[in-house]
Amino acid sequence: MSTSPRSLQLADVEEFLTHEAEERVFGTGGQLYVSVDGTPVLDLAVGVDGLDVPVERDTLFAVYCAGMPVLALAVAALVGDGELSFDDRVGDVLDDRSLPDHVAGLRVDALLGHTAGLHRLSPVTYLASPPRAREGLALGTRPPDGWRPGDVAYSEVAAWHVLGMVVEALAGEPTRAFARRRVLEPAGTGDDLFVAGMTDEEYDAHRGRIGVNAQVEGPRLVPLLGERTRRLRALSSPAIGNTASARGLGRLYEAVLAAIRTPPSGPMAGALPAGVLAALVTPQSHGADPVMGRTCGYGLGFMVGLGEHEFGARVGHGAFGHSGFRGMTAAFADPAHGLVVACHLNGSVDPGSLGYRRPALVDTIYRAVVDP
């Protein structure tokens, strides 16, 4: 039996990841999930985690901001229900709360599109603070002097905390419960994706599957042990308390891609209107982002123009996705090719290394899946 060009090239992708894990320069292991038109062509795990435990396809990792699109999809569900509009102001939704003027006047699309100016709250400060203090930190975050409407700056924590407040006020239930019911269950992610924190019961059930990332510090790799604790995995934060496998993220993007194609298909097509979903993945803002340190653009909760987000030159102009802390996690959909890619590489690297690492992997995937 002859071997197809695609099969040969897919072997190159696995070899690429295996060698990287063995070299232990950028990390020690990872996962990759790739599908075309909803059919998986790769679902693999390589190497070990930061504690030398073998990485499996169902290993869960802290994925940080790579889970942000789930909250955007939860907001879209409320828009589809007629409970919310993207141009609604926070103060009109949370009208029973005493909010600072700079927060009350913010529109929902400004929060989702990273033009709200709430980017100066450090995730470290947020995480180090008691849970009861985090809302005050988020609401107290102010735009810098000279901030203008339309200016772009990526908000890692504060904007998503405020969006979580909006979702909970309208849904009448915790953000993670609403997101699971309206987004994750229709998408079929199962127990491969948890957003806005695990419940205590979920943490107890899946703790053995949680892998450990590693901070790359020159020749040493330091395990990020805190990521595996209940305090962080059960953290009720839609920006930070996100846990997933690459397969879980890939299934989410498959569902979104199917729902926005013509004609729309899949369970999410019935759960969320195609027009509302299209707004999430259409460019809404663009500019010199002081947080990212580059000129780039955003949809509403998704990164767009992925070439500017260090996904490589092969990704199509209509592609949409998101990355996580220091580029360890990345997932995207490229409608032009029906392609979905989700990967997690467990080494936290400096931005200079990321500029090589992810484009090289994405280019290898395109040569394997698209070019044949």
Side-chain angles (χ1 to χ4, degrees):
M1 181 182 295
S2 62
T3 303
S4 70
R6 174 179 285 181
S7 297
L8 291 171
Q9 296 284 6
L10 288 174
D12 289 344
V13 177
E14 184 167 3
E15 183 179 7
F16 180 101
L17 284 176
T18 300
H19 284 173
E20 181 171 296
E22 291 173 347
E23 289 172 348
R24 300 174 72 96
V25 174
F26 297 126
T28 59
Q31 301 166 324
L32 176 65
Y33 180 92
V34 182
S35 67
V36 179
D37 294 328
T39 300
V41 297
L42 268 180
D43 184 6
L44 60 89
V46 299
V48 296
D49 74 355
L51 294 178
D52 287 331
V53 176
V55 176
E56 308 291 348
R57 289 181 297 173
D58 68 345
T59 299
L60 298 168
F61 286 99
V63 298
Y64 298 95
C65 292
M68 279 185 165
V70 177
L71 183 62
L73 292 164
V75 171
L78 292 169
V79 173
D81 291 344
E83 297 288 335
L84 184 68
S85 296
F86 290 127
D87 59 2
D88 280 348
R89 299 188 184 278
V90 173
D92 294 332
V93 178
L94 304 178
D95 55 2
D96 61 338
R97 306 286 297 271
S98 177
L99 300 174
D101 290 343
H102 72 280
V103 173
L106 288 171
R107 288 172 34 147
V108 170
D109 54 6
L111 293 166
L112 287 167
H114 299 287
T115 60
L118 303 186
H119 56 282
R120 298 199 291 176
L121 176 58
S122 161
V124 174
T125 301
Y126 182 88
L127 286 171
S129 302
R132 63 182 180 276
R134 290 174 185 149
E135 183 172 306
L137 288 171
L139 296 179
T141 302
R142 303 187 65 89
D145 292 341
W147 182 262
R148 299 166 301 176
D151 284 352
V152 174
Y154 183 75
S155 176
E156 297 175 273
V157 179
W160 252 244
H161 189 106
V162 175
L163 284 168
M165 294 170 63
V166 168
V167 168
E168 291 189 356
L170 295 175
E173 60 183 323
T175 302
R176 62 188 170 200
F178 182 76
R180 175 158 292 278
R181 181 168 59 85
R182 293 299 304 275
V183 178
L184 301 181
E185 289 179 1
T189 59
D191 290 330
D192 279 311
L193 180 54
F194 299 88
V195 169
M198 294 177 163
T199 64
D200 285 334
E201 292 77 12
E202 289 168 340
Y203 177 81
D204 290 337
H206 299 288
R207 185 180 185 278
R209 295 171 56 200
I210 299 174
V212 175
N213 293 314
Q215 174 69 47
V216 178
E217 297 181 354
R220 297 189 309 124
L221 284 86
V222 180
L224 299 174
L225 298 177
E227 291 182 337
R228 204 176 183 213
T229 63
R230 184 185 302 271
R231 179 174 180 270
L232 292 188
R233 298 281 54 80
L235 174 67
S236 181
S237 168
I240 297 178
N242 302 322
T243 310
S245 67
R247 180 171 55 196
L249 287 171
R251 286 177 173 166
L252 175 75
Y253 277 83
E254 286 172 351
V256 175
L257 181 57
I260 66 173
R261 301 184 88 172
T262 303
S265 62
M268 193 166 281
L272 300 173
V276 176
L277 286 177
L280 301 186
V281 301
T282 300
Q284 304 285 346
S285 59
H286 188 271
D289 187 331
V291 178
M292 292 295 190
R294 57 180 180 256
T295 297
C296 54
Y298 302 95
L300 298 179
F302 285 87
M303 295 175 172
V304 296
L306 296 185
E308 295 179 323
H309 288 285
E310 298 180 329
F311 280 73
R314 293 295 306 273
V315 182
H317 292 298
F320 56 90
H322 216 288
S323 58
F325 177 59
R326 287 200 163 190
M328 286 190 291
T329 317
F332 70 90
D334 186 343
H337 300 292
L339 177 67
V340 164
V341 174
C343 66
H344 181 84
L345 306 174
N346 81 318
S348 170
V349 299
D350 64 85
S353 299
L354 174 61
Y356 151 78
R357 179 196 205 188
R358 189 160 63 213
L361 174 59
V362 171
D363 182 65
T364 304
I365 293 169
Y366 269 77
R367 282 191 280 110
V369 177
V370 175
D371 293 349

